[in-house]
Every structure is written in structure tokens, then in C-alpha cells.
Amino acid sequence: ILDGLRIMMVVLLWILLPSTTTGIKLDGNGYVDVIIAISSRVPQDDTLIDKIKEMVTEGSFSLYDALNKKVYFREVTILVPPQWNGTNFTKARTESFGKVKRIMPFYLASYGVEPYTNQYGECGAEGEYIHFTPEYLLNDTFIQLYGSRGIVFVHEWAHLRWGVYDEYNRDKPFYHSNSHIEATRCSEKTGGQFFDVTAGGSLQPCRIDPQTSLPTKGCIFFPNRNQITNCSIMFSPSLDPVTAFCQKNKHNYEAQSMLNKKCGKATWTVIFEDSVDKDALQTLKPLESPPPPPSFKVVQRTQRVVCLILDVSGSMAGPRILQQRQAATHFLRYIIEDQASVGIVTFSTSASTLSNLMTIDSDITRENLIKLLPNVASGSTNMCLGLSRGLQVLQEDNGDVLGDEIIFLTDGQATDNIAGCAPSAIQSGAIIHTLAFSNSAAHALTEMANKTGGIFLAPNDNIISNQLMDAFASLSLSTGDYTNKPVQLESVGARTSDWFNGTVSVDQTVGNKTSFVIIYEISLPSIFIQSPSGSIYTQTNMSNDDLYKTVTLKVLGTAEPGDWKYSIQTTSNQAFTITVTSQASHDVVPPIIVKTHMNQQFNDGTKPMTVFAEVSQNYRPVINAEVWATLESETGLTHTLQLLDNGAGADAFKDDGVYSRFFTKMLNGRSSLKVRVKNQDGQTRFAVTYVPGYVINGVVQLNPPKPPVSEEPLEVGNFTRTATGESFEVKLSGTTPLNFPPNRITDLSAEIQEDTVLLSWTAPGEDLDQGTAKSYEIRWSFDLDMLRSSFSNGHAVNTAGISPQKAGSDEKYSFNLSFPIQNCITVIFAVQSKDNQNATSETSNIAQASKIPPGPPGVSNPCINLIILVISVCVETMVICFIVLVTRRAVKLRKRFAERKVALTIANKFQINPYA
């Protein structure tokens, strides 16, 4: 593993990044505020910048052609790593590698070169980023394997921007249609041939699986390099004639593609009716002439420059000022990177500078900054003075604040008009992270974070929740290299008068700079921490700060991998929290990380919210983990959800390392999000796409072998992680409790066994993917279009025997139709579900099943042979009938001719007119 990682060139990420407005947007016909960021793990290669420009420029013209000349890429920013040297790099403003629109990988490509899009939302929802590798961009031989970079870029852009899914399906590459075997593709006019490639590289006819009557695994559809159709980009952008997205009249609704499964619509329909750009695209007029090439700007972010602006007004007195001190201490001691510059400002009635910018060059510097943190609070809350003073401190290093960071914490409504000074702070070019430490903090805090690429957090002051510690711990700024970033292994609290016990699993990807920080409420407890090998650490091995009620254990060297157990004993009833952080154990092995967020930062109750958590290691998905999300309102009410990676309900793909769940128990006000991950049997999984060859002039020509990719699961061992997401706000319009129907079923499958139909799907819930639905309605038809567009007109299946199971369960239902199922017949099925209020779900994905009789050896499709046999018999019968008719006609004509000859002879003899 280590050898592979040492030679690996990591990644490029395409980032949706809020700038001084709201991120990527259409300005007229051109996309602007587009950011491409290069990971700091990528060695400097200026050719890479040129290749990026070439790809985007080509993609801009391809996009212009593909979308009826309506849109193109106008302005693009390339963010290069801090260690790259160049005189033409300008200073980054709010551009940041870590401020991805959101998170989570689609399919692994870290060990391969294939581009992919981090996409996991519902149909039409924006993706997270596009992933490229330097090797893909620099090596032109991959153009043969994947297609021109510009059109591939447009393919991925459709995923990212418009929430379109692929028009192929790796799991179901073939299906039956009218007794034919078809490749899963769009359009159906995309021609090609089926072959199995042997280990030696030769081609042989595909074999048929007797259970499915479809080609066995390993059978490949080789498309014709030159097609009669120009769509679709979402099936295969590598085909030369393909320049368009599939529209409604050309879309293949039968194919078991991911697009049909998730959307049930043509790509063009999703783009123009469901995407974030739908309104603009419907009103934009096509350009009268081709657009100009995109303009590019190359920017660079150097070492972090951060100013803490801390509220010390009277409402912060007591427990709040203590928690602020504890959390800021944790940030300065364990979170902020070496060589970063940090200043500290406080504000109340007036503002004060506690520390000008200091470079973090040693532990002594960190501790000196910690000593300056405020201890007392009094006066009013003048936020504008604090902002102004903080910006002045940030200007000290180079005269401007571009790309510098502010961490702004306040607990109350400002006595000044914060809305009046917020615009100037937003326009300053600084990234502003805001922490609203109460439910009365000004809403301008949210705006400042959103418009500057910062993070908004609303921690409450409940000691047990540990939210302020978590908030500060989440304020790191990624460069794409997680080997030098702190990872939070545990963050948990409890109130007890006895024992507080727990286990933290340290896996092999972490262990350096490991610390256990215990915060207590009243009096120093007895603390015991046991390593996996049995070593016991007590207070004698720890540092204790009585004034700030904090006990810390710093593990020397690299912490042992395995389960670390902690036990805290107290005789007085008090609250405790424990926070455990660590860093990567090797500088070439990125650690397992967890990222979490809600799909919306604001909700009015009309739509459900979705919780997402990504568990990954070096962009590889970690599967089989136990993931729990805690959503806590500003009033202290909590709701806990187990997030699932089952490909059903809110979860887009099974086993992609993205764990999801709908959140329906929304309450008015701000809420926080925290995720805890436990793992006892985790694995990582790999998946790549590869075009093995094409049919050219009727002959299959194989491409070079695909780039080497390890597809074996990687055991990661036991681990624990916690992660904090940005806070979100709910403002319900009424007092009626929220009620959502069951979620749409997206994994319905059908199979015909003799005369029995077997349907399988994942159970929806009473409210989306939670609880238990009341009933199912199943309908079938021979007409896919009819069932898709008019579910109620399909034939009903008796579902009295189905008792819905809990959401997430595997449902199976077998039944007989009202007629014998003949061979070579395809039947279409769909499902709806209802809740206790009879609210009905959307119609499921369309599933189809064919009854194909087993054929003799060498027969690839018995139905086709049966049809040929029937046709042959019919033709032979028609020929025989034709011969009989011709013979009978000839006999009759001969007889009539003989009779007429006799009549003429008699007439001549007796001189009679034969026609009289």
C-alpha cells in the first residue's frame, strides 16, 4: 500500500466554490465563478495548467454545441498549491480547495485515471466536484480510451451542474426488449456488437446465463466508432459523432440505466426542467455566433493568516466565556497549522487587539497565544467594531486581507447595526467563518459566511454537546492533502455522578500527535486511559489546568493502533466531555476522514432535508461503517438518525461510502449537525469505467489495456471518527406538523420464474425513508410508456398479502398474473406506496422481466430463433399455397383451352360462329 501511495499522483478537484456571491452562476450565456483546484500533493508541472486550459476551452465549445448554442464557459479560475513557484500567480481571495460545494466521492479513481463526478443527490441536484488526475490530463493516450477531454468534461459537467445521471449501468449492462438482447445505452440507435474478451485478448461470442437469459458477466458491448446518431454524451462521450444530449424523442426509456433509475426522464428534460439552471435555460436565446474562448486566472493561496475575533460582552460571562476559552485553546494547540499566522481581537463596548499576527513556529508560540485568550466578559455587543479591528490586524502582514481568514464568535444580537458593516467585510476579500453562540445572534453572520466562502456554525452552550469545541475543530482549511490535518476521532459528553466510560479506536492511518482532552464542569475527576497493549495513563501522565477545568493527555510518538479505553470517575454530579484528535501516521498515507453536511442551509418546510456523510480514505469509499447523525436544535432538542449506504431512499448509490438519510423532524430556528462513525469491519472499494474497444468498419478493434487499478477491497480495521457540519436554519410557515409521503422506490427489480413473478425492492418509510409505509400498489403492463406516464391505467396486482416492512428492509413479493405467461413475453412493473394519511409516493423506477425459454447450446437468444422458426414455417406454407394455387390455375386454364379447341373444331366443320 505504501509503495503504491508513494508513486501516486493524487488528484485535481473541480470545485463549486462560493466567491463573493453564491458560487458558479450563469452571467448571461456564460458560466462564471468556476474554480479548478490542484491538490497540494501534486508536484509542480506548469504543463498541467496549459492542459487544463485546453480541456476547458474545448469543453466550452462542446457545451455550446450540445445545448443549442445557449451556454459556454466564460471565466475560470485555477487554484494552484501553496508550494508551487510562479511569478504569474495572483493571490487567492475566497477560493479554497477545502470549500467544496459539498463532499463525497462517486466512484474511486485515485488508483486509476478515469474522471468522475462526486454526485449523490436526487435527480436534478448539483453534484459536489469533478475529479481528474494529472496523469489523465498529461497523457494523450487516454483520449483514445475515454474520448476527447473537452467532451468528457461536458459529460462530467452535466453530472455536476445539472444532476444528470449516466445512461449506462455497470451492474445491468444488458436487458431484454421485444425478445432481443439489448445493451443498456441511449440512444437505442447506438449500434455495436457483443463479444467476450478472453484472457489472451481474443474475441469470442458471449455466452448466455441460463438463469437470466442475458449475457454472462464479461460480455461487452462494443459500440461502432462511427454512429448514425449524435447522442448521447451521457452514454459514451468517446464516440466521434456524439455531440448532443439525448432528447425526449430519442431517449431509450427501456434501458436499465442509472438515468432511468434515478430520473425516468431524458437528459435534455432533466437539464431544462429539473436542474438549477432550468429557468435561465428556458429563457436564454441562442448566441448568434460562437462564443469567445474562456478567460483564465491562476491564483495561489499561501500560508494561512487567521484572526480570532471573540465576543467578551456581558452576556458571555460565566460558562460561555469559559467554553470560548477552552475551544479557542484547543484550536490554537491542535488545529491551526504550523507556519500559519494568528492574531486575536476581542470586542464588547469597544474592541481590543490582544495579539497582532504571530507565526506558529513552535509549541511555545502556541502557548503564548493561549495565555492571551480572554477570561472575563462585560459591556455591550458591538460587532462592527470587532470586525473593523480584526480586518486591521489582518492587514499587518502585506497591507491587504485577500484570502485571509476571520473566525468571528458572538453570542448575541448586536447593539450596533451589523447589517450595515457586513457588506464592507464581505467585499474585503477575507474568508469569514462565523459562530453564533446563541439563538439570538444576528442573521448577518450567516450571510457573511455564505458570501465569503466561510463556514457558519451555531453551537449551543450545552456542555455535554461539546459543540463549541467541535466548531473550532472543524475550522481547518484544506489544500487537498489530509496527511497534515487534524482528524477528530471522538467527541462525546455525559453527565454523571459515577463512571463515564468509552472506547476510541485508533486505526493504522492515524496515530501522530494524538491527544485526549477531558473537560469537566465542577471538580477534577479520576481519569484512566488504557492503551491497546494495556498501558495505563493517569493524571500523573496528563497536564491539568484547574482554572479552565481541562485535563490533557498527549500521546508521545505514534499512538498504538487498536482500542483505547477511557474511564472517568466522579463522586459529584457533573458534566464531562472528551475530545480525541490525531493526525496521519505516515506522510504518504492519507487518513480515513469523515465529512458531513445537509443538502440545504435553509428550509421552509416545503421539502425534506437530507443528511449526508462521506467516509473515505484517499478518495476511496469506506463501506460497512456504522454512521449516526445527531441534529440538535438551538433549544437543545435532539434527533438521532442512522445514516445508510444502501442505495435506497435518500441514498443514491449503494456502497459508495456516502451515508444518507432524510431529515423530517424539522423545528423552527437554527440547528447543528454532528456525525459519529464506528467501524468494526470496514473496507474500501474501487470502481472505474473503461472503454475496451470499438467496432470500426464492422471489425472490433481493442483499445490498450486499462490502467492498472486494484479492485480488491482494502481492510481498514476498527476506527472511530466524528465530524461537524455547517449549521442550518428552518423557518416553518405554519403550525401543522410536517408530513411527507413515502420515498420513491428506485431499485425495483423483476424476474419471471415459470409462471411466477418475483419483485424485489427496498422498503420505503411512513415519512420518506423513516418508519413503515402502510401499503403498496403494484401495477403491470405490456406498454412501458403507458405505465410510466399513467400508473393508474396499468393492471393492478393483488397486494393483500404484503405487509410492508420497516424502511430500509429488503422487500420481496411473488405472485401469479391472471394469465399464463407465454415464452418471449416482456412484462413491465411499477410500484407506489402509501402512508397512514394515504399520501402516495412517486411512481418507482420501471422494472421489466422477460420469460425466455432455455435454448440449445450455441443459441444466444431462443426467442429470436423461435421467431425465425415461426417466420420460416409461415414462409414455407405461403410458398406451398402459392404453388398449389398456381398449379390449380394452370390445370383450369389447360382444361378451358382444350374445351375451346374442341368447340372451334366443331364450329369450323359446321360453319357455325363460335362466339354466337
Side-chain angles (χ1 to χ4, degrees), residues 350-368:
S350 59
S352 301
T353 301
L354 302 189
S355 173
N356 291 316
L357 292 176
M358 296 180 63
T359 301
I360 306 293
D361 53 7
S362 66
D363 288 343
I364 295 175
T365 304
R366 294 178 185 271
E367 296 302 321
N368 287 338

Side-chain angles (χ1 to χ4, degrees), residues 782-800:
F782 294 122
D783 187 341
L784 183 146
D785 289 334
M786 185 278 291
L787 193 61
R788 183 178 61 86
S789 60
S790 183
F791 175 81
S792 60
N793 288 334
H795 301 284
V797 173
N798 185 351
T799 57

